[in-house]
Amino acid sequence: MGRLKELRKYINSELEKMENTDDIFSAANHLYGVSLAATILAKKRGLDPEIAAMAGMLHDMHAYKTGSYDDHAHKGADLAREILSELNLTSDEETDAICSAIYHHDDKYAIDAPMDELLKDADVIHHTLNDTSKAIKEKEQARYDRICEELGLRS
Ligand SMILES: [Fe+2]
Ligand SMILES: [Fe+2]
């Protein structure tokens, strides 16, 4: 089994533990959506698409496991490190890149390393394009505009 598939299998089994079916679908929709957006951005930017996809799959797991978004990015980076070391799918360098991206993913105004920025942008793509009838959050507008410019999308 490929390592992305193996990670997804693990994440599916964790999401299945959530009590509410709507929450499971919503969480899966977001994680898989961000993972795909991260893959597309990695292909565009010359970064590793598999690592980008794995970061997308893991990025909000702490929030889904605990039901709280309180400091979920920083705590989520620690959780991702635990999961990745348990599954033994990534090198130390790859684990660091994934965990750094998750650690920074809620800092939407700051500019961080390329893979960190990629995960923030993938998160914003899913927040904004999953349902275009919803208003774009103020903290995501500038980043959304930059992504549209980069990808040649009409905003
Ligand atoms: Fe998040
Ligand atoms: Fe997210």
Side-chain angles (χ1 to χ4, degrees):
M1 196 192 313
R3 59 184 182 163
L4 180 56
K5 191 171 179 182
E6 200 168 322
L7 177 63
R8 285 178 169 155
K9 200 174 159 192
Y10 172 86
I11 286 176
N12 293 346
S13 69
E14 285 296 300
L15 295 181
E16 279 174 356
K17 294 176 187 168
M18 292 164 74
E19 283 175 18
N20 184 298
T21 310
D22 284 346
D23 291 344
I24 296 173
F25 282 118
S26 169
N29 175 46
H30 184 57
L31 295 182
Y32 280 83
V34 171
S35 184
L36 178 60
T39 302
I40 294 168
L41 290 175
K43 290 279 199 183
K44 176 79 169 51
R45 297 177 185 178
L47 297 170
D48 186 326
E50 200 182 18
I51 295 307
M54 292 173 94
M57 288 309 302
L58 285 161
H59 83 285
D60 278 336
M61 277 306 286
H62 193 277
Y64 296 139
K65 265 182 91 92
T66 63
S68 164
Y69 280 86
D70 187 30
D71 204 24
H72 79 287
H74 299 158
K75 292 173 181 167
D78 291 339
L79 175 65
R81 193 170 290 281
E82 280 171 33
I83 293 169
L84 290 171
S85 79
E86 185 186 324
L87 296 179
N88 203 19
L89 300 172
T90 44
S91 68
D92 289 349
E93 195 181 23
E94 290 170 335
T95 300
D96 287 346
I98 291 168
C99 295
S100 171
I102 294 170
Y103 184 92
H104 291 104
H105 88 266
D106 212 21
D107 305 329
K108 296 293 197 294
Y109 288 122
I111 302 293
D112 294 294
M115 187 60 83
D116 305 341
E117 288 303 296
L118 182 150
L119 181 59
K120 294 178 202 183
D121 289 345
D123 204 20
V124 168
I125 286 173
H126 198 258
H127 289 157
T128 53
L129 299 185
N130 185 53
D131 179 353
T132 54
S133 71
K134 279 172 59 181
I136 295 172
K137 287 181 192 155
E138 194 262 319
K139 74 168 183 175
E140 298 193 328
Q141 184 68 56
R143 191 171 280 279
Y144 174 72
D145 291 342
R146 288 201 300 274
I147 296 163
C148 287
E149 177 86 26
E150 178 185 0
L151 300 181
L153 308 179
R154 290 166 200 262
S155 51

